[in-house]
Amino acid sequence: MITTQVALAGASKHYGQHRALNGVDLELRAGECVALAGHNGAGKSTLIKLVLGLIRPTHGRVLLLGHDADSRQAARLRHDIGYLPETVALYPAMTGAETLDFYARLKRQPLARNAALLERVGIADAARRRVGGYSKGMRQRLALAQALLGQPRILLLDEPTTGLDPASRLMFYEIVRELRSTGTTVLLSTHALAEIANHVDRVIVMKHGHKIADGTLAQLRQSIGVPVRIVLTLAQPVPATALPAPWQHLGPARFERLCPETDKVGVIRDLGNIGLPIADIDIHTPSLDEIYAHLLERKTP
């Protein structure tokens, strides 16, 4: 059984002197949701095009479900891939239902499931309306519906929540969770890092065509070396010397301590031994936006 759905091995893509992608190695596994982050021109779109088989690598290999992405075997698996591009172009004179029927035929999927899919993305009531009268968020949800046709094993999403209101974003991430539970691999390219922090298993960061980071949030926090800040509020005021260093006194009943990510659990566990009643504990960890900013400050390999 294949658990690695997508793999890049030393994959590079050059356009003359421009190196859009440089020796990238990565694996995307079944049931995994991975965020792809990076500035404009970092190589994210090139990476997605390689996985889709739209372009060929200049060097290295791109494997799709165990086959070279541009091979005949992989071409037969195209129906197992869902893709939502950053810029959605839909024919305005067609209705939502007609649009989804059109894409279903292209993907050789039964039309009978389309009504339920439109319901799932929240635009069933507008299925008979022309797309030209849709709001940006409605067009985005229709585009998401076409990407979900056929219950794809691999789902590639480029800025998928653009134009969606908060309720629609919650709906989107609920769909992602359902797909992951059935073994779908989800690659999500986005600039909305704060939004996706609690919805992904790993984050891959690209810079100038290089992969500069790949790991869980905890692993990335460790890699940048920014300490975790723990603020302890006691149930009653105590002297400033009530807790020893490295605890720092902030006020009558508040203390602060900085520690590495790897020591966080141990520090919290030791709080049970201080012998003082605790009213509250605040743990401040670097956000994904902060992690991303620190990683981009590093020199490209």
Side-chain angles (χ1 to χ4, degrees), residues 100 109-118 150-151:
L100 199 56
Q109 296 297 321
L111 307 187
R113 302 174 184 171
N114 290 358
L117 194 50
L118 290 170
Q151 300 176 321

Side-chain angles (χ1 to χ4, degrees), residues 256-267:
E256 175 189 79
R257 177 171 176 175
L258 302 180
C259 70
E261 172 77 22
T262 51
D263 295 346
K264 177 179 64 179
V265 174
V267 171

Side-chain angles (χ1 to χ4, degrees), residues 65-102:
L65 299 170
H67 304 284
D68 284 300
D70 58 354
S71 67
R72 289 185 177 181
Q73 294 92 332
R76 299 190 189 102
L77 301 171
R78 291 284 176 252
H79 295 162
D80 290 323
I81 302 176
Y83 174 50
L84 175 61
E86 179 179 6
T87 303
V88 179
L90 301 171
Y91 190 60
M94 295 174 70
T95 66
E98 289 169 343
T99 299
L100 199 56
D101 286 352
F102 170 75

Side-chain angles (χ1 to χ4, degrees), residues 1-8 28 51 61-75 77-78 80-81 153-154:
M1 180 179 178
I2 297 175
T3 57
T4 298
Q5 306 265 58
V6 178
L8 274 68
L28 303 178
V51 175
R61 298 183 71 189
V62 180
L63 299 177
L64 181 66
L65 299 170
H67 304 284
D68 284 300
D70 58 354
S71 67
R72 289 185 177 181
Q73 294 92 332
L77 301 171
R78 291 284 176 252
D80 290 323
I81 302 176
R153 295 168 63 185
I154 299 170

Side-chain angles (χ1 to χ4, degrees), residues 165-229:
D165 58 44
S168 296
R169 292 184 182 202
L170 289 176
M171 171 272 298
F172 165 75
Y173 288 114
E174 182 180 338
I175 291 174
V176 169
R177 282 194 297 272
E178 291 174 359
L179 291 169
R180 290 167 63 191
S181 69
T182 62
T184 299
T185 299
V186 181
L187 180 65
L188 196 161
S189 176
T190 183
H191 289 99
L193 299 182
E195 174 186 304
I196 56 93
N198 295 323
H199 301 287
V200 298
D201 300 297
R202 286 191 290 136
V203 179
I204 294 172
V205 181
M206 302 290 297
K207 180 181 179 182
H208 300 319
H210 295 270
K211 185 184 79 170
I212 62 171
D214 182 354
T216 65
L217 281 179
Q219 290 170 337
L220 296 184
R221 287 191 188 106
Q222 292 177 28
S223 72
I224 64 174
V226 175
V228 174
R229 179 172 172 256

Side-chain angles (χ1 to χ4, degrees), residues 110 120 158 166 176 231 257:
R120 186 68 189 89
D158 198 348
V176 169
V231 178
R257 177 171 176 175

Side-chain angles (χ1 to χ4, degrees), residues 118-119 122-129 134 138:
L118 290 170
E119 181 74 35
I123 55 172
D125 292 344
R128 301 302 170 187
R129 288 169 48 189
Y134 278 17
M138 293 172 67

